Amino acid sequence: MAYAQVICLNHGDRALIDRCLQNDADAFDEVVVRYKNKVYNYICRMIHNDHEAEDLTQEVFIRMFTSLASFRNQSSLHTWIFRIASNLCIDYYRRNKKHQNIAYSLDEPIDNEETQPSRDIPDNKYNPYKVFERGELNKQIEDALKQLPEKLRAVIILHDIEDLPYEDISHIVGCPLGTVKSRLFNARMQLREKLSMYVQA
Amino acid sequence: MLENCEKIRPLISEYIDGQLSDTKADLVRRHLELCHDCSELANSFESNKSALKALPARHTSREFDARLALQIAELRKQHKVTWWERLLVLAPPNRVLRPVLAVTVSAIIVGSYVTNHNTSVVTPTNTKIGAVSKTTDSALIAHCVEQHQNYVETQPLSDWSAQNLDGQADAGSSSGTNANEL
């Protein structure tokens, strides 16, 4: 979505929020319809757990509903929503921190293939074929995203996938504009390294 | 690799996003025309950006949508908009004006309370002279007049001309001295 479309969405969002503040139930339902997939998309790619992502998406809208009266149009609607989503992702990481550094032994038998990660380690040294089916390419891109540090992953998802401008990303993740730019650069450098075998320049 | 690659490279990300000023964008563009390595870097950034953009969007399930709708309906039942929240909707968002409005409203409320407590209710049994506001003066005067009239009707004054100086009634009041002649 181009930036011009983002601006149009902002104007429509403002009218929607005004109606929500007047306790218009239909207006809030419209906000949910407009944003639920975007929020779910973002959270899924941040935490890599579809089931938990649904719970967190629900929590985003519950928090929105209960704190609507305190939203004073100081930021745009999508900035506010993604800010809530971003904070919930951070809380999720903190709760699950102890699980993130588990090392899996190659010799240990696998109990359940569905719940435990695959132990196949792809050989990236040489691949003569640079053309992949779209599904396989998407899988590689998703895996590369997953391997990025959380702070870099957040900015590249918000910018390249959700089409948000630098300023909004700065408000969402709570860091200066310069930090957003450098994180975006570093994220792209790391993705370039991981996807060089799969994505033709 | 050219000499100023180290300065140009950090700008390539902003360049492909169209976030550089015209001067800097021109600088980067001219460098990319000459530098193969930086040009390759810019192209890979563009390709990966397009690939990310092309990722299929994920959608919530119908079960999730139904669950969320139920949850919000439940919240609506529990959440009643307080008078304060309605006031907040009308209040200006400005950080300076909002406290000013709060102070003004508070002053009006306190002022009304103080004004009302300075006024005594005027009743036939507890009329207090000197402790009333100006707005009740006319009511007080009217009440005093009414009280006096009632008193006069029930307690008529004796004809003072018929009384001697020591207060005793004169026996021959018909032949007595005419008061006017005194």
Side-chain angles (χ1 to χ4, degrees):
Chain A
M1 183 167 39
Y3 287 158
Q5 286 174 298
V6 173
I7 291 168
C8 288
L9 190 62
N10 284 348
H11 287 308
D13 283 353
R14 200 146 289 165
L16 208 52
I17 275 294
D18 287 342
R19 285 169 53 204
C20 286
L21 289 170
Q22 290 160 19
N23 221 23
D24 185 340
D26 291 339
F28 190 81
D29 291 342
E30 203 175 318
V31 169
V32 171
V33 166
R34 209 180 270 199
Y35 282 98
K36 64 182 171 72
N37 287 325
K38 287 179 175 292
V39 171
Y40 179 66
N41 216 18
Y42 172 67
I43 295 177
C44 266
R45 295 208 160 96
M46 286 298 292
I47 70 172
H48 309 292
N49 184 323
D50 289 5
H51 181 70
E52 291 275 1
E54 280 197 343
D55 289 345
L56 292 186
T57 303
Q58 183 172 294
E59 185 61 28
V60 167
F61 291 104
I62 289 171
R63 289 198 183 187
M64 258 195 75
F65 184 87
T66 53
S67 58
L68 206 53
S70 61
F71 177 71
R72 299 299 301 142
N73 279 330
Q74 289 156 356
S75 66
S76 61
L77 178 57
H78 63 262
T79 302
W80 185 41
I81 291 177
F82 277 105
R83 181 74 195 244
I84 298 173
S86 187
N87 288 339
L88 284 172
C89 288
I90 292 171
D91 292 343
Y92 175 85
Y93 293 138
R94 285 180 184 152
R95 283 198 310 272
N96 294 279
K97 203 175 182 180
K98 58 180 180 177
H99 298 301
Q100 287 179 1
N101 295 324
I102 291 175
Y104 293 99
S105 166
L106 289 172
D107 299 323
E108 205 174 0
I110 299 175
D111 291 329
N112 187 346
E113 280 284 355
E114 289 180 357
T115 55
Q116 291 189 356
S118 168
R119 293 184 192 167
D120 290 336
I121 300 170
D123 179 12
N124 292 330
K125 287 182 185 175
Y126 174 71
N127 192 331
Y129 302 106
K130 288 212 169 186
V131 178
F132 280 85
E133 289 182 8
R134 192 72 219 175
E136 179 62 23
L137 175 61
N138 289 340
K139 184 180 177 305
Q140 296 299 331
I141 296 171
E142 297 270 12
D143 285 346
L145 261 182
K146 195 188 293 187
Q147 291 169 40
L148 286 178
E150 293 140 15
K151 292 181 180 178
L152 303 190
R153 196 186 317 147
V155 295
I156 202 156
I157 291 173
L158 289 171
H159 186 272
D160 287 357
I161 299 178
E162 300 299 334
D163 264 325
L164 296 179
Y166 287 7
E167 292 77 13
D168 286 3
I169 296 172
S170 164
H171 290 127
I172 289 167
V173 301
C175 67
L177 201 58
T179 307
V180 171
K181 293 176 184 177
S182 67
R183 283 184 187 175
L184 205 47
F185 176 80
N186 291 332
R188 284 171 170 163
M189 286 296 283
Q190 290 193 26
L191 277 181
R192 177 179 180 248
E193 196 178 327
K194 296 175 198 305
L195 295 175
S196 58
M197 299 297 296
Y198 310 102
V199 179
Q200 282 184 314
Chain B
M1 199 167 183
L2 299 183
E3 280 180 11
N4 56 346
C5 279
E6 280 186 13
K7 290 181 185 175
I8 296 294
R9 278 198 158 210
L11 299 176
I12 289 176
S13 181
E14 290 175 70
Y15 173 75
I16 66 164
D17 292 337
Q19 294 295 304
L20 290 179
S21 63
D22 290 344
T23 313
K24 280 189 177 175
D26 199 49
L27 190 68
V28 172
R29 185 185 52 77
R30 283 192 274 116
H31 178 86
L32 294 180
E33 285 171 0
L34 301 172
C35 178
H36 179 260
D37 289 343
C38 288
S39 173
E40 231 184 38
L41 182 67
N43 289 337
S44 69
F45 278 8
E46 288 272 17
S47 301
N48 289 341
K49 185 179 175 181
S50 300
L52 282 170
K53 199 94 191 78
L55 282 176
R58 302 189 188 198
H59 297 279
T60 53
S61 61
R62 285 187 183 179
E63 291 76 22
F64 168 81
D65 294 347
R67 253 192 347 262
L68 181 60
L70 274 174
Q71 183 74 33
I72 291 176
E74 193 56 41
L75 281 173
R76 279 203 184 102
K77 284 181 197 171
Q78 294 168 10
H79 180 76
K80 292 176 185 177
V81 180
T82 63
W83 67 270
W84 178 241
E85 285 172 336
R86 289 187 191 276
L87 194 63
L88 268 181
V89 171
L90 300 171
N94 188 290
R95 287 183 182 180
V96 172
L97 288 177
R98 200 188 292 182
V100 169
L101 177 69
V103 168
T104 306
V105 168
S106 304
I108 291 171
I109 293 170
V110 169
S112 300
Y113 178 80
V114 169
T115 303
N116 287 336
H117 268 69
N118 277 341
T119 304
S120 299
V121 177
V122 176
T123 67
T125 57
N126 68 348
T127 303
K128 294 180 183 177
I129 306 295
V132 297
S133 69
K134 289 185 181 176
T135 56
T136 60
D137 277 351
S138 56
L140 176 62
I141 291 168
H143 178 71
C144 288
V145 167
E146 186 185 344
Q147 268 189 331
H148 177 71
Q149 285 174 342
N150 291 341
Y151 180 77
V152 165
E153 286 167 6
T154 56
Q155 302 284 335
L157 289 173
S158 306
D159 185 2
W160 62 272
S161 62
Q163 293 179 0
N164 59 16
L165 291 176
D166 57 1
Q168 293 181 356
D170 199 343
S173 61
S174 61
S175 62
T177 311
N178 192 339
N180 288 336
E181 292 176 2
L182 286 176

